[in-house]
Amino acid sequence: MRPASISRSLAVLVLLATTSAQAARVERASPQGSVRDVRQLTLSFDADMVALGDPRLPAPADIECAVSGSGRWVDTRHWAYDFERVLPAGLRCGATLKSDLQSVAGAAISGTRSFRFDTGGPAVRGSMPYDSAR
């Protein structure tokens, strides 16, 4: 191999190594804002965060809510936290990414690290007598 070819090959390898270790971020967090009848919180990342197949994978975030639940990795990029029950009105909840969280490639997490939502206030779910009742 000629020296120029070796240089180009090394440059390509360096470029591949740096692009694979670019900062990862949360692509989508749901829910956000005021939302009723919340049963699950999800975080979707733009890079692989865990190796699939290990049932002991760590949670990427700490959950703050009056109702507890449990989290699980759906696949290498999506994490779901299921609350024990549908959240009642009047709660403020959220998720904060863990400070040491990084992608499988070792990339740091950039962008928003804290996601919040609330379940709104009281609402009328039904009334009696109905409009057509006599």
Side-chain angles (χ1 to χ4, degrees):
M1 217 179 216
R2 297 186 354 233
S5 297
I6 293 172
S7 298
R8 275 193 298 266
S9 297
L10 287 174
V12 168
L13 288 175
V14 168
L15 179 63
L16 289 173
T18 46
T19 54
S20 66
Q22 287 179 348
R25 66 180 181 82
V26 174
E27 274 186 326
R28 182 170 185 254
S30 179
Q32 291 190 69
S34 288
V35 184
R36 293 199 181 280
D37 301 324
V38 174
R39 182 76 165 94
Q40 184 181 70
L41 179 144
T42 60
L43 298 174
S44 298
F45 296 87
D46 69 348
D48 289 345
M49 299 300 293
V50 294
L52 199 56
D54 185 353
R56 299 162 293 159
L57 299 172
D62 293 316
I63 305 299
E64 305 95 33
C65 195
V67 176
S68 61
S70 61
R72 62 189 162 75
W73 284 97
V74 177
D75 59 26
T76 59
R77 294 182 178 206
H78 300 93
W79 185 76
Y81 186 87
D82 296 309
F83 293 101
E84 290 177 342
R85 63 184 192 282
V86 173
L87 299 181
L91 291 182
R92 289 191 176 139
C93 301
T96 303
L97 298 180
K98 293 188 176 179
S99 60
D100 60 346
L101 182 65
Q102 55 185 249
S103 72
V104 169
I109 305 300
S110 66
T112 305
R113 299 188 64 85
S114 186
F115 307 92
R116 302 280 173 250
F117 69 92
D118 67 76
T119 56
V124 175
R125 297 263 185 184
S127 65
M128 289 179 48
Y130 299 103
D131 189 31
S132 61
R134 294 189 193 247

mmCIF file of all heavy atoms in Angstrom, residues 35-38 67 85-92 118-120 125:
data_model
loop_
_atom_site.group_PDB
_atom_site.id
_atom_site.type_symbol
_atom_site.label_atom_id
_atom_site.label_comp_id
_atom_site.label_asym_id
_atom_site.label_seq_id
_atom_site.Cartn_x
_atom_site.Cartn_y
_atom_site.Cartn_z
ATOM 1 N N VAL A 35 -51.344 16.762 30.627
ATOM 2 C CA VAL A 35 -51.891 15.572 29.987
ATOM 3 C C VAL A 35 -52.728 14.792 30.994
ATOM 4 O O VAL A 35 -52.325 14.635 32.139
ATOM 5 C CB VAL A 35 -50.753 14.655 29.465
ATOM 6 C CG1 VAL A 35 -51.296 13.473 28.708
ATOM 7 C CG2 VAL A 35 -49.780 15.429 28.607
ATOM 8 N N ARG A 36 -53.882 14.312 30.579
ATOM 9 C CA ARG A 36 -54.744 13.495 31.441
ATOM 10 C C ARG A 36 -54.532 12.013 31.160
ATOM 11 O O ARG A 36 -54.075 11.618 30.097
ATOM 12 C CB ARG A 36 -56.201 13.828 31.183
ATOM 13 C CG ARG A 36 -56.552 15.218 31.608
ATOM 14 C CD ARG A 36 -58.058 15.330 31.761
ATOM 15 N NE ARG A 36 -58.424 16.668 32.148
ATOM 16 C CZ ARG A 36 -58.352 17.141 33.380
ATOM 17 N NH1 ARG A 36 -57.931 16.378 34.353
ATOM 18 N NH2 ARG A 36 -58.701 18.363 33.652
ATOM 19 N N ASP A 37 -54.912 11.203 32.135
ATOM 20 C CA ASP A 37 -54.926 9.743 32.007
ATOM 21 C C ASP A 37 -53.577 9.159 31.603
ATOM 22 O O ASP A 37 -53.486 8.277 30.752
ATOM 23 C CB ASP A 37 -56.009 9.302 31.015
ATOM 24 C CG ASP A 37 -57.402 9.750 31.447
ATOM 25 O OD1 ASP A 37 -57.666 9.758 32.666
ATOM 26 O OD2 ASP A 37 -58.205 10.100 30.570
ATOM 27 N N VAL A 38 -52.516 9.621 32.237
ATOM 28 C CA VAL A 38 -51.165 9.128 31.949
ATOM 29 C C VAL A 38 -50.969 7.776 32.632
ATOM 30 O O VAL A 38 -51.254 7.616 33.810
ATOM 31 C CB VAL A 38 -50.095 10.126 32.433
ATOM 32 C CG1 VAL A 38 -48.698 9.548 32.260
ATOM 33 C CG2 VAL A 38 -50.235 11.443 31.705
ATOM 34 N N VAL A 67 -46.871 8.634 42.319
ATOM 35 C CA VAL A 67 -47.264 7.261 42.008
ATOM 36 C C VAL A 67 -46.039 6.527 41.497
ATOM 37 O O VAL A 67 -45.366 6.990 40.581
ATOM 38 C CB VAL A 67 -48.395 7.235 40.952
ATOM 39 C CG1 VAL A 67 -48.739 5.800 40.566
ATOM 40 C CG2 VAL A 67 -49.627 7.969 41.464
ATOM 41 N N ARG A 85 -50.735 2.738 38.245
ATOM 42 C CA ARG A 85 -52.118 3.002 37.860
ATOM 43 C C ARG A 85 -52.158 4.285 37.047
ATOM 44 O O ARG A 85 -51.167 5.020 36.978
ATOM 45 C CB ARG A 85 -53.015 3.106 39.082
ATOM 46 C CG ARG A 85 -52.679 4.269 40.011
ATOM 47 C CD ARG A 85 -53.550 4.244 41.268
ATOM 48 N NE ARG A 85 -53.472 5.449 42.041
ATOM 49 C CZ ARG A 85 -52.491 5.783 42.866
ATOM 50 N NH1 ARG A 85 -51.446 4.984 43.006
ATOM 51 N NH2 ARG A 85 -52.515 6.912 43.537
ATOM 52 N N VAL A 86 -53.298 4.563 36.429
ATOM 53 C CA VAL A 86 -53.475 5.821 35.700
ATOM 54 C C VAL A 86 -53.321 6.958 36.706
ATOM 55 O O VAL A 86 -53.885 6.917 37.805
ATOM 56 C CB VAL A 86 -54.862 5.869 35.024
ATOM 57 C CG1 VAL A 86 -55.108 7.229 34.409
ATOM 58 C CG2 VAL A 86 -54.970 4.786 33.968
ATOM 59 N N LEU A 87 -52.543 7.956 36.353
ATOM 60 C CA LEU A 87 -52.267 9.048 37.276
ATOM 61 C C LEU A 87 -53.511 9.921 37.459
ATOM 62 O O LEU A 87 -54.148 10.321 36.491
ATOM 63 C CB LEU A 87 -51.109 9.900 36.764
ATOM 64 C CG LEU A 87 -49.771 9.175 36.601
ATOM 65 C CD1 LEU A 87 -48.706 10.146 36.102
ATOM 66 C CD2 LEU A 87 -49.335 8.522 37.891
ATOM 67 N N PRO A 88 -53.843 10.247 38.709
ATOM 68 C CA PRO A 88 -54.992 11.114 38.964
ATOM 69 C C PRO A 88 -54.665 12.572 38.644
ATOM 70 O O PRO A 88 -53.503 12.941 38.471
ATOM 71 C CB PRO A 88 -55.236 10.923 40.465
ATOM 72 C CG PRO A 88 -53.897 10.573 41.025
ATOM 73 C CD PRO A 88 -53.200 9.787 39.940
ATOM 74 N N ALA A 89 -55.693 13.393 38.592
ATOM 75 C CA ALA A 89 -55.500 14.831 38.347
ATOM 76 C C ALA A 89 -54.716 15.455 39.497
ATOM 77 O O ALA A 89 -54.738 14.969 40.620
ATOM 78 C CB ALA A 89 -56.851 15.509 38.211
ATOM 79 N N GLY A 90 -54.006 16.530 39.182
ATOM 80 C CA GLY A 90 -53.310 17.298 40.211
ATOM 81 C C GLY A 90 -51.889 16.872 40.510
ATOM 82 O O GLY A 90 -51.306 17.342 41.486
ATOM 83 N N LEU A 91 -51.306 16.018 39.707
ATOM 84 C CA LEU A 91 -49.923 15.589 39.949
ATOM 85 C C LEU A 91 -48.958 16.284 39.003
ATOM 86 O O LEU A 91 -49.294 16.579 37.856
ATOM 87 C CB LEU A 91 -49.776 14.075 39.752
ATOM 88 C CG LEU A 91 -50.440 13.168 40.756
ATOM 89 C CD1 LEU A 91 -50.131 11.710 40.407
ATOM 90 C CD2 LEU A 91 -49.969 13.468 42.164
ATOM 91 N N ARG A 92 -47.756 16.520 39.514
ATOM 92 C CA ARG A 92 -46.633 16.990 38.690
ATOM 93 C C ARG A 92 -45.570 15.924 38.759
ATOM 94 O O ARG A 92 -45.133 15.536 39.837
ATOM 95 C CB ARG A 92 -46.096 18.312 39.219
ATOM 96 C CG ARG A 92 -47.045 19.438 38.978
ATOM 97 C CD ARG A 92 -46.399 20.772 39.252
ATOM 98 N NE ARG A 92 -47.356 21.812 38.891
ATOM 99 C CZ ARG A 92 -47.560 22.900 39.590
ATOM 100 N NH1 ARG A 92 -46.861 23.128 40.679
ATOM 101 N NH2 ARG A 92 -48.439 23.778 39.184
ATOM 102 N N ASP A 118 -47.682 17.485 33.859
ATOM 103 C CA ASP A 118 -48.658 17.489 34.945
ATOM 104 C C ASP A 118 -49.951 16.879 34.434
ATOM 105 O O ASP A 118 -50.176 16.788 33.231
ATOM 106 C CB ASP A 118 -48.873 18.905 35.502
ATOM 107 C CG ASP A 118 -49.535 19.820 34.512
ATOM 108 O OD1 ASP A 118 -50.770 19.685 34.328
ATOM 109 O OD2 ASP A 118 -48.851 20.674 33.926
ATOM 110 N N THR A 119 -50.776 16.448 35.364
ATOM 111 C CA THR A 119 -52.023 15.784 34.988
ATOM 112 C C THR A 119 -53.231 16.711 35.081
ATOM 113 O O THR A 119 -54.370 16.253 35.077
ATOM 114 C CB THR A 119 -52.250 14.530 35.844
ATOM 115 O OG1 THR A 119 -52.224 14.898 37.226
ATOM 116 C CG2 THR A 119 -51.179 13.482 35.569
ATOM 117 N N GLY A 120 -52.978 18.008 35.136
ATOM 118 C CA GLY A 120 -54.069 18.982 35.132
ATOM 119 C C GLY A 120 -54.858 18.996 36.422
ATOM 120 O O GLY A 120 -54.535 18.316 37.387
ATOM 121 N N ARG A 125 -66.266 14.517 34.604
ATOM 122 C CA ARG A 125 -66.214 13.291 33.795
ATOM 123 C C ARG A 125 -67.612 12.879 33.333
ATOM 124 O O ARG A 125 -67.765 12.120 32.403
ATOM 125 C CB ARG A 125 -65.598 12.153 34.595
ATOM 126 C CG ARG A 125 -64.176 12.408 35.000
ATOM 127 C CD ARG A 125 -63.277 11.745 34.036
ATOM 128 N NE ARG A 125 -61.897 11.877 34.486
ATOM 129 C CZ ARG A 125 -60.896 11.460 33.795
ATOM 130 N NH1 ARG A 125 -61.094 10.864 32.652
ATOM 131 N NH2 ARG A 125 -59.680 11.619 34.229
#
